[in-house]
Amino acid sequence: MPPSSPPGFSGTLLAIQTGRVRPLVVGGRKLMSAIGKTTVAGPIEVGVLGLAGDEQADLSVHGGLGKAVYALPSEHLPWWQAQRQAQGVTMFDEALAPGFLGENLSLQGVLEQDLFVGDCLDFGDVVLRVTQPREPCGKFNAVMGYAQAAKDMVQSGRCGFYLAVDQPGRLQAGASFQIIPGQRSVSVAQALQHKAWKHLR
């Protein structure tokens, strides 16, 4: 597991990404996906269904009120790049770009084992509420370039989390946020393991 964040923590929004639905080849089949995200310059509107200009291909598993925004701790990107190198996907040590794993928000200072379902990220103008961990799928394996990527996400806990928009407004890279605790009964990391166990039964 990655190192823990200190109690009573805050964080920073390093980058914002959005994506359009495009073809993606998975296991020889062409599917539609918006997992590939590109960085947005300047402020962006955040509504109850997510970021302006962001799309989801399959609304049964992505998007909606409870999965309006997907955030990932930026601290995980070097680890994911190392996994790709170990699998021979890339021979280079270049950093993965923000949005490569499909994340809308690249955050610094918050990790899955310290953030709980129901906690809020208060940016001042925008308030986002943690709803659940990301559960990887075959599209994630295709983007990462190796078949064990989804398993690595579950086993490592480096999954990121979905957010509901409790207070719409505008966000811009560089903004700081405070964690407003919820009931704090189940962490994002614990929720991921519980969901994974249910799927494996």
Side-chain angles (χ1 to χ4, degrees):
M1 294 293 290
S4 296
S5 303
F9 55 98
S10 59
T12 303
L13 173 59
L14 297 184
I16 302 173
Q17 295 80 224
T18 62
R20 299 286 187 179
V21 174
R22 297 183 179 93
L24 176 69
V25 177
V26 178
R29 294 184 302 144
K30 188 168 77 171
L31 305 176
M32 301 303 290
S33 175
I35 192 170
K37 308 291 184 184
T38 55
T39 301
V40 175
I44 188 169
E45 294 291 334
V46 184
V48 294
L49 291 177
L51 307 182
D54 193 47
E55 296 181 347
Q56 296 86 29
D58 186 352
L59 292 176
S60 68
V61 292
H62 301 291
L65 294 174
K67 299 180 181 178
V69 179
Y70 170 50
L72 182 77
S74 61
E75 290 89 342
H76 296 338
L77 291 179
W79 187 89
W80 278 112
Q81 176 62 7
Q83 306 317 301
R84 297 180 81 231
Q85 280 186 283
Q87 295 291 331
V89 178
T90 177
M91 300 299 295
F92 303 101
D93 196 25
E94 80 279 8
L96 289 181
F100 190 89
L101 277 70
E103 68 271 26
N104 296 121
L105 305 183
S106 300
L107 305 180
Q108 184 177 57
V110 293
L111 296 172
E112 290 86 350
Q113 64 267 36
D114 305 309
L115 202 60
F116 287 69
V117 174
D119 285 356
C120 287
L121 283 59
D122 186 354
F123 290 88
D125 188 41
V126 173
V127 178
L128 306 175
R129 176 172 39 85
V130 179
T131 57
Q132 66 181 74
R134 175 188 183 165
E135 296 176 76
C137 61
K139 292 180 182 180
F140 180 69
N141 290 342
V143 167
M144 295 303 289
Y146 70 102
Q148 295 296 106
K151 184 177 179 180
D152 282 349
M153 176 174 278
V154 172
Q155 290 184 338
S156 72
R158 292 172 169 88
C159 59
F161 42 89
Y162 285 110
L163 298 157
V165 181
D166 282 358
Q167 180 178 308
R170 302 180 89 192
L171 279 181
Q172 186 164 6
S176 60
F177 59 89
Q178 298 290 323
I179 301 300
I180 308 301
Q183 292 185 346
R184 313 223 95 197
S185 58
V186 179
S187 71
V188 172
Q190 290 168 335
L192 176 67
Q193 296 307 317
H194 178 68
K195 286 175 175 288
W197 180 81
K198 285 176 67 178
H199 285 307
L200 291 172
R201 281 193 302 174

